[in-house]
Amino acid sequence: MKIYTVGGAVRDQLLGLPVKDHDHVVVGATPEDMLRQGFRPVGKDFPVFLHPKTQEEYALARTERKTAPGYRGFVFHTAPDVTLEDDLVRRDLTINAIARAEDGTLTDPFGGIEDIRNKIFRHVSDAFGEDPVRILRLARFAARFHTFTVAPATLALMRRMVADGEVDALVAERVWQEVAKGLMESHPSRMLTVLHECGALARIMGEITLSERLLQVVDHAAAQGHDLPVRFAALMLRMSKDAIEQLSERLRVPNECRELAVMAARERDHINGALALSAEAVVSLCERCDGLRKPQRFAQLLQAVACDGLVTGDFPQAARLQGGLDAARAVNAGALAQGCAEPKRIPEVIHAARVAAVQAFLAQA
């Protein structure tokens, strides 16, 4: 039995980056061998085990064979005679197909070290073309390693995969999972660009029209360190409500992302023009966006719209609206409701009190 560290841990160490997760391949072992050493089985489709102490994943070396369209149509084979090279050749990119032995020796049968040096994404073999998820993964890697370029042969293969309909077989949850990860990288614009170049963007997110401005906006959201709902809203800001709803429903986008995106697109002009809004308009905006009940989401809304203007410093519109919201929330609605002699007028009384509070705030601002 021989154990090797593979994949991202080796790649990131060679790049001089912090290593977060360690994946291991075990050559020359059976599932029974792993169980005898205290490993806990967790794999469903093929034998994967958790180390009894570190809880890191150890997978038996395996080969795979395509049997159906999409990323699920594979049959896996594991046996003690499956070699390390047999296992590495099924991996997506050369930079992810490097193995490190326990003594530190590197095995690099496909030139991954050279591609790291030259900053190139290159597929290991034609097996790349059998799994459409690899297009999404490569695009996500481009968002992380934004100075890398896609090898011409790899880009041509990705285009053939799109033309052959492989991308159409992807399930929505997996598409969103990879897109969300890419949005959370340092340069999400690179993910969008790569997907566009191979034709996959039109298939999975056809509602998006790429422009230089949009690429700047999503990278700006990333540079500000915003969370996923804000980054997704920044991506959707120039789209119609119907288009956002359509894309979100198809990709099963989480509600917190979808709702913020719809709200930001709807309120973008009002927020950008907030310095001219009256107290009445500010309160109406806060109420319309449910900011009184969800102040954190209201803050995310302001962040998303600020990205549209590539704002890096103060955003006076946000300060005005956030201060107005705080003033409106400070109104004791419960006390006003109890003191109102006409129950039907309670909403009107509370709204008027909030407008007065915001008016006082604006007068002092």
Side-chain angles (χ1 to χ4, degrees):
M1 178 192 296
K2 291 185 178 180
I3 297 175
Y4 300 87
T5 302
V6 295
V10 181
R11 177 199 67 222
D12 290 349
Q13 185 179 49
L14 291 171
L15 284 166
L17 299 173
V19 175
K20 297 179 181 178
D21 301 310
H22 292 83
D23 292 321
H24 307 273
V25 164
V26 183
V27 178
T30 65
E32 292 73 24
D33 294 331
M34 302 297 288
L35 293 174
R36 278 194 293 270
Q37 297 198 32
F39 285 81
R40 180 164 58 89
V42 293
K44 294 181 179 179
D45 298 322
F46 47 82
V48 177
F49 301 83
L50 295 184
H51 191 281
K53 293 183 179 178
T54 66
Q55 301 301 305
E56 291 177 346
E57 288 192 356
Y58 287 68
L60 296 187
R62 65 187 186 268
T63 60
E64 63 187 25
R65 179 169 54 88
K66 181 81 166 177
T67 59
Y71 76 96
R72 290 176 170 170
F74 291 91
V75 171
F76 299 95
H77 168 70
T78 62
D81 62 350
V82 176
T83 68
L84 177 62
E85 288 75 12
D86 290 337
D87 183 273
L88 293 177
V89 74
R90 70 176 181 79
R91 295 178 181 270
D92 52 3
L93 302 173
T94 60
I95 65 172
N96 296 328
I98 309 167
R100 185 179 67 242
E102 292 179 291
D103 64 1
T105 304
L106 295 177
T107 299
D108 179 26
F110 307 108
I113 295 175
E114 183 69 15
D115 283 340
I116 286 176
R117 187 176 297 120
N118 294 324
K119 299 183 177 180
I120 293 175
F121 296 125
R122 189 190 314 277
H123 63 290
V124 174
S125 69
D126 287 342
F128 182 101
E130 299 176 348
D131 185 357
V133 170
R134 292 179 167 182
I135 292 177
L136 301 177
R137 278 172 51 82
L138 190 155
R140 171 164 61 84
F141 284 135
R144 181 185 306 176
F145 307 117
H146 66 279
T147 58
F148 278 56
T149 58
V150 183
T154 301
L155 184 58
L157 175 56
M158 293 163 66
R159 286 172 173 162
R160 288 200 301 275
M161 293 168 67
V162 173
D164 290 344
E166 280 286 341
V167 171
D168 302 330
L170 287 168
V171 298
E173 291 85 354
R174 193 59 195 272
V175 174
W176 171 251
Q177 181 183 38
E178 294 296 329
V179 168
K181 288 179 179 178
L183 286 175
M184 291 307 294
E185 298 292 356
S186 62
H187 289 75
S189 65
R190 289 283 292 127
M191 172 182 68
L192 298 172
T193 300
V194 168
L195 290 175
H196 174 70
E197 289 174 348
C198 73
L201 186 67
R203 296 292 185 92
I204 62 174
M205 294 190 291
E207 295 84 356
I208 295 176
T209 301
L210 277 197
S211 66
E212 188 60 35
R213 178 68 175 188
L214 178 61
L215 298 177
Q216 291 174 346
V217 167
V218 294
D219 280 353
H220 181 78
Q224 299 303 304
H226 293 319
D227 56 19
L228 179 60
V230 175
R231 297 189 194 202
F232 180 70
L235 175 63
M236 301 283 111
L237 261 175
R238 297 278 174 167
M239 289 168 50
S240 69
K241 174 183 181 296
D242 289 344
I244 297 171
E245 294 280 15
Q246 179 176 291
L247 183 151
S248 298
E249 181 176 354
R250 189 177 65 255
L251 296 187
R252 312 274 178 85
V253 174
N255 285 339
E256 62 175 345
C257 294
R258 176 184 58 81
E259 291 172 0
L260 183 65
V262 168
M263 189 181 301
R266 184 189 71 215
E267 304 294 350
R268 177 172 56 88
D269 290 341
H270 296 111
I271 292 172
N272 282 327
L275 298 183
L277 292 182
S278 65
E280 172 71 38
V282 169
V283 172
S284 295
L285 173 63
C286 293
E287 291 176 341
R288 193 165 61 242
C289 297
D290 203 12
L292 296 154
R293 215 166 49 89
K294 298 181 178 180
Q296 184 176 357
R297 190 178 67 178
F298 191 80
Q300 291 177 319
L301 171 66
L302 300 179
Q303 290 173 344
V305 175
C307 289
D308 187 53
L310 305 179
V311 177
T312 55
D314 293 335
F315 185 41
Q317 293 93 328
R320 182 182 179 91
L321 291 174
Q322 188 63 61
L325 175 64
D326 293 342
R329 294 187 75 234
V331 171
N332 191 333
L336 288 173
Q338 287 182 347
C340 185
E342 301 177 49
K344 291 183 178 180
R345 294 191 62 242
I346 289 176
E348 174 190 338
V349 169
I350 293 174
H351 179 81
R354 287 170 176 164
V355 171
V358 171
Q359 205 157 25
F361 162 75
L362 294 180
Q364 296 173 353

